[in-house]
Amino acid sequence: MTENLKLVFPNKEPQEIKDIRKDYYRHMCDMFLEMIKSISISDKEMKERFKITNLDLLNELEAKGESMMVFMAHYASYEWANVVDIQTGIQAVGIYKPLGNIYFDRLVRRIRARFGSRVIPTKYAMEEITKDKNKDGVRMYGLAADQSPKIYKATYWTDFMGVKVPTFLGAEILAKRLGIKVFYLKVEKLKRGYYEAEFVPIADDPNTCEDYSIVKSYLRILEKQIHNKPQYYLWTHKRWKHRNALSEAPEGATID
């Protein structure tokens, strides 16, 4: 964690890094307690603790029967985003990579499905979403795109927090294939156990966007959040582990 902080904040003093780290661990303790609370929390309390500021936008999309692709990030509260299921008729569908520990993975799936959301392993995403196209209903496909892909799948490299790293393209590719609007779920922590979220438009028609422009727009918004309040980002994951592996990029990879 400290290595990541020093890497992306080279100009911060040691005490600043220490303060961010301390606040980060406090936040992660909150996150753990919130995950447990998710099992029994009431719908009413959930809506009070995780407010969507532009719910009218979702209601409009629902009325039009338009599904959406939502870029998410490991920032603030990413486990409570499925609150959309109890505030609209839109079903949240989380696309995720199964965890190595099958028992913890089972718990996470249970929590994420608590309010009616579906969870789909990444490798089955295209298959399941294709089936959805032939069914009634409006869906919000959510995918955290700020992790690091396997090096042999690293076909696109760009800057994130000032460091050149490989970047996931799955959400952009899915949005273009489906031809659905793209948003970023911008979550801010107000205080312990309370969050505010906004669906920020990224692309109205993804098929008119240049390749990689959607991903880059998402990264720029996330970077601003991290610079503003870095303690709420998941610094312990290995986002920058391939920063020195550019020479191992697959043939034909795009370096931006």
Side-chain angles (χ1 to χ4, degrees):
M1 174 189 172
T2 302
E3 180 183 355
N4 285 339
L5 287 168
K6 289 180 177 179
L7 176 69
V8 301
F9 297 124
N11 297 322
K12 286 190 180 296
E13 297 295 329
Q15 185 60 49
E16 292 180 281
I17 297 295
K18 183 177 179 180
D19 290 342
I20 293 172
R21 188 175 58 207
K22 180 180 178 181
D23 289 341
Y24 165 80
Y25 283 121
R26 183 180 294 116
H27 170 64
M28 290 309 296
C29 287
D30 289 347
M31 284 278 291
F32 178 76
L33 293 174
E34 289 162 12
M35 286 182 65
I36 302 303
K37 189 176 181 64
S38 297
I39 298 173
S40 59
I41 191 172
S42 69
D43 289 5
K44 179 181 178 182
E45 186 177 1
M46 185 75 255
K47 287 188 283 188
E48 291 174 350
R49 289 178 172 273
F50 194 100
K51 293 182 180 293
I52 299 174
T53 61
N54 56 343
L55 195 58
D56 55 330
L57 183 148
L58 299 186
N59 292 331
E60 182 180 338
L61 290 174
E62 182 184 355
K64 293 179 179 178
E66 297 184 17
S67 293
M68 55 200 291
M69 178 62 64
V70 180
F71 278 77
M72 300 175 66
H74 292 89
Y75 185 90
S77 175
Y78 39 89
E79 294 294 346
W80 279 0
N82 56 5
V83 70
V84 67
D85 275 323
I86 57 176
Q87 298 198 43
T88 73
I90 299 175
Q91 182 181 48
V93 181
I95 302 170
Y96 88 114
K97 181 180 179 181
L99 302 174
N101 185 306
I102 60 173
Y103 301 104
F104 192 61
D105 181 72
R106 189 179 301 161
L107 174 62
V108 170
R109 288 174 63 89
R110 177 185 174 188
I111 291 172
R112 292 178 179 176
R114 167 69 173 78
F115 300 103
S117 301
R118 284 166 58 203
V119 286
I120 303 174
T122 305
K123 65 179 181 179
Y124 300 125
M126 182 54 70
E127 177 185 347
E128 291 295 318
I129 293 174
T130 299
K131 291 179 181 178
D132 286 346
K133 294 182 69 175
N134 299 317
K135 301 176 183 178
D136 294 332
V138 181
R139 299 168 185 85
M140 179 187 84
Y141 298 103
L143 194 157
D146 59 334
Q147 295 173 298
S148 183
K150 296 183 183 299
I151 194 67
Y152 65 87
K153 294 182 179 180
T155 57
Y156 177 62
W157 297 62
T158 191
D159 291 333
F160 178 53
M161 296 297 291
V163 183
K164 191 77 70 180
V165 288
T167 301
F168 272 118
L169 294 174
E172 178 172 322
I173 292 171
L174 284 171
K176 288 190 173 186
R177 289 185 182 179
L178 296 169
I180 56 178
K181 290 179 172 61
V182 181
F183 298 84
Y184 169 57
L185 184 61
K186 183 181 180 183
V187 182
E188 298 287 1
K189 186 171 186 175
L190 304 179
K191 59 182 180 179
R192 294 189 70 186
Y194 288 85
Y195 301 86
E196 193 171 82
E198 175 188 6
F199 283 85
V200 179
I202 291 181
D204 189 59
D205 182 358
N207 288 309
T208 64
C209 299
E210 294 183 4
D211 288 344
Y212 317 122
S213 64
I214 293 175
V215 166
K216 286 193 289 186
S217 294
Y218 153 72
L219 291 176
R220 299 296 84 79
I221 300 172
L222 175 56
E223 285 175 337
K224 288 182 180 179
Q225 281 191 283
I226 295 173
H227 279 292
N228 186 39
K229 293 182 179 179
Q231 66 269 34
Y232 299 141
Y233 191 60
L234 186 60
W235 292 105
T236 47
H237 72 175
K238 300 176 181 179
R239 180 64 186 94
W240 294 273
K241 65 181 178 181
H242 294 314
R243 63 184 182 277
N244 297 318
L246 192 56
S247 60
E248 300 176 38
E251 184 176 352
T254 299
I255 314 300
D256 197 346

